[in-house]
Amino acid sequence: MTGLFLCAVLGGGVALTQWQAGDSGAAAGDTVDGTAPPTAGPGGAPGASSGGGAGPSATGGPPPEAEASPSPSSPSSDDEREIAVPADGPGTFTTARTDGATVGSGSRVVRYKVMVEDGIDIPAADAAAEVSAVLADERGWTRGGTHAFRLVSSGTYDLAVKIATPGTVDRICGEAGLLTRGEVNCRVGENVVVNLKRWVRGSPEFDGPIGDYRALIVNHEVGHGIGRGHETCPGPGEPAPAMMQQIKGLQGCVANAWPYDRSGDYLGGPSVP
């Protein structure tokens, strides 16, 4: 079952809408409100998401969302330079021309590509390296033993991680009925659409390195893509689940960007209906 989710972050406020129907879905993460009909993924199976819901297998075009939170991660190559955040862009994208080895031992291999909107001051190769590092991290989704990930530059794929200007995000997400208001990310069909504003500036509610915030965005959205729904804080002082809408407030938990700890324990919490 896939779901449509939309979570938004505007001055610290978040609204969530969920829609589910059969085996199709769509969602938006770090977003505001809205609904969207199911769309077909690249493998023909309907699916879309980007906020927080269960998603289909890699072969059908998953659903998911995004968010962000702190946790130790490698510093981004963009951390030491100023990146402009134009309000809008042409809506065309450059795909990272890099193919990676499969990471993880799971039998369900998620093929993904990374794309950056033309005119953005982030090389597609740099974005792909950062996304790939998150998905290959021992604290990531490969630790569960079910899923593996492979970066591709061409051919069939299950997810397309797109970094786009706020205006382009609004158009892509709006076509699926999602309202992002220039502020948040979304997932529609096979597209995980990352708002450049969030990628560069992080969240006003997130106190931590920008690389950690980006790791949470990737882990949260991809989590939806492999079938994970939203979770909430398991208890005061505990790590916030990667599938928690941490932007909405930590509820006593400690900010965290990763699904697992270094010992392989899942950092989860009660599911959110």
Side-chain angles (χ1 to χ4, degrees):
M1 160 117 22
T2 62
L4 164 62
F5 293 79
L6 179 65
C7 9
V9 86
L10 293 171
V14 180
L16 170 66
T17 299
Q18 175 178 354
W19 175 86
Q20 292 183 330
D23 289 326
S24 38
D30 261 8
T31 312
V32 185
D33 57 26
T35 56
T39 57
S49 128
S50 137
S57 70
T59 54
E65 172 200 35
E67 217 169 294
S69 149
S71 164
S73 66
S74 302
S76 164
S77 60
D78 299 325
D79 285 346
E80 298 179 358
R81 67 185 179 89
E82 187 69 22
I83 299 174
V85 182
D88 208 347
T92 56
F93 291 82
T94 294
T95 300
R97 296 301 175 190
T98 306
D99 292 288
T102 299
V103 295
S105 58
S107 60
R108 297 176 64 180
V109 179
V110 178
R111 293 168 56 91
Y112 69 96
K113 62 182 181 179
V114 177
M115 308 170 71
V116 175
E117 187 173 10
D118 295 327
I120 288 178
D121 189 24
I122 299 175
D126 290 358
E130 191 159 4
V131 172
S132 297
V134 172
L135 293 176
D137 194 283
E138 64 177 357
R139 298 161 293 175
W141 291 115
T142 59
R143 197 61 177 263
T146 300
H147 294 89
F149 299 91
R150 181 181 177 186
L151 174 66
V152 298
S153 61
S154 61
T156 60
Y157 62 93
D158 306 298
L159 287 177
V161 179
K162 295 182 175 180
I163 300 177
T165 58
T168 297
V169 172
D170 287 351
R171 285 193 294 276
I172 295 175
C173 303
E175 289 176 357
L178 300 173
L179 183 61
T180 49
R181 297 180 179 174
E183 293 293 331
V184 292
N185 317 300
C186 85
R187 167 162 175 287
V188 177
E190 74 275 17
N191 296 312
V192 170
V193 191
V194 178
N195 194 311
L196 178 67
K197 183 185 292 186
R198 300 278 71 85
W199 188 260
V200 171
R201 299 176 182 169
S203 163
E205 301 300 314
F206 179 85
D207 182 16
I210 189 64
D212 289 342
Y213 185 86
R214 294 172 185 172
L216 181 54
I217 290 176
V218 173
N219 286 323
H220 189 103
E221 294 290 357
V222 171
H224 287 311
I226 61 175
R228 299 279 183 168
H230 280 150
E231 299 174 1
T232 190
C233 178
E238 297 293 325
M243 296 312 299
M244 179 179 176
Q245 292 175 281
Q246 296 182 34
I247 275 178
K248 195 173 181 178
L250 295 177
Q251 302 176 32
C253 271
V254 178
N256 161 60
W258 302 96
Y260 294 84
D261 65 17
R262 293 192 183 279
S263 298
D265 294 324
Y266 181 64
L267 301 176
S271 62
V272 177

